[in-house]
Amino acid sequence: MFIHLAHPVDPDGFAWPGEPIADVQADSVIGTSGKPFNSYVTTPPNHFATHMDGPHHFNTVGDSFNDLPVERFGFEGPDVLVADIPQCCTRAALVKKEDLEPFADQLKGKRFLLLRTGFEKYRDSDPTFYQMEGPSLHPDLCQWLNEEFPELDCVAMDWLSVASPTNDYGEEAHHWLLGNYTDHIITAIEDMPMAELGDKTIKVITLGPLRVKGVDSSQVCAMAWVED
């Protein structure tokens, strides 16, 4: 069976505080616009809903999103580790190296790390809390992932962002992930739903990137093929 690992691009949704949200406008409507079909103009800001931060997001010499190799958008089951860290499902939780150290042996050789806290439950029930007071990644953790796990290509999280409005760690955390200090680039997928995965065995994850030339990052229509 297949499972969506991406939130819909919802014009009633929210982004990082102060950043733009999606806009959807009807361009033609059957019976009223003189055209025999319906069509829409959609404007999805590239850091809205489930999206991948590419190198150029925080790195002036980093690759644009469209230049990332196709291998960064597909992962076989053995390449993936789901790390459950429910202790970080709290207000302004800072995900630290010690939270991931118990997974160090499992993480060796993995290409895709999914950080599952359970915080996504607040996305619908308390969106302001989800937007303003969610978890974030500590820079020391990002440095550890960058330096100790050279095969790691991507890290995803079930909360809004690598950063949080509750602290100032976001810039440095992004720098360590996105190749500002080393040649190792770890892209980051923010705002990814993971609850439906449960404890199912993952066979394949595909990310389905929206390939827009010249931008730093973009939406990914992520899906998992799992054993039922």
Side-chain angles (χ1 to χ4, degrees), residues 17-29:
E19 292 300 299
I21 62 174
D23 182 58
V24 179
Q25 299 290 333
D27 181 56
S28 62
V29 180

Side-chain angles (χ1 to χ4, degrees), residues 95-114:
V95 183
K96 298 180 179 180
K97 175 182 173 183
E98 47 262 41
D99 293 306
L100 270 294
E101 282 179 326
F103 300 93
D105 288 341
Q106 299 174 64
L107 189 54
K108 291 177 181 176
K110 301 297 184 185
R111 296 181 51 230
F112 192 14
L113 171 63
L114 278 64

Side-chain angles (χ1 to χ4, degrees), residues 166-192:
T166 63
N167 64 57
D168 296 324
Y169 290 121
E171 182 176 356
E172 190 69 355
H174 278 96
H175 283 169
W176 271 111
L177 292 177
L178 298 177
N180 288 64
Y181 301 131
T182 74
D183 292 332
H184 182 198
I185 295 166
I186 304 173
T187 59
I189 300 180
E190 300 175 325
D191 202 12
M192 173 183 273

Side-chain angles (χ1 to χ4, degrees), residues 151-163:
E151 295 89 355
L152 188 62
D153 284 336
C154 186
V155 58
M157 57 218 71
D158 67 349
W159 64 88
L160 185 64
S161 173
V162 168

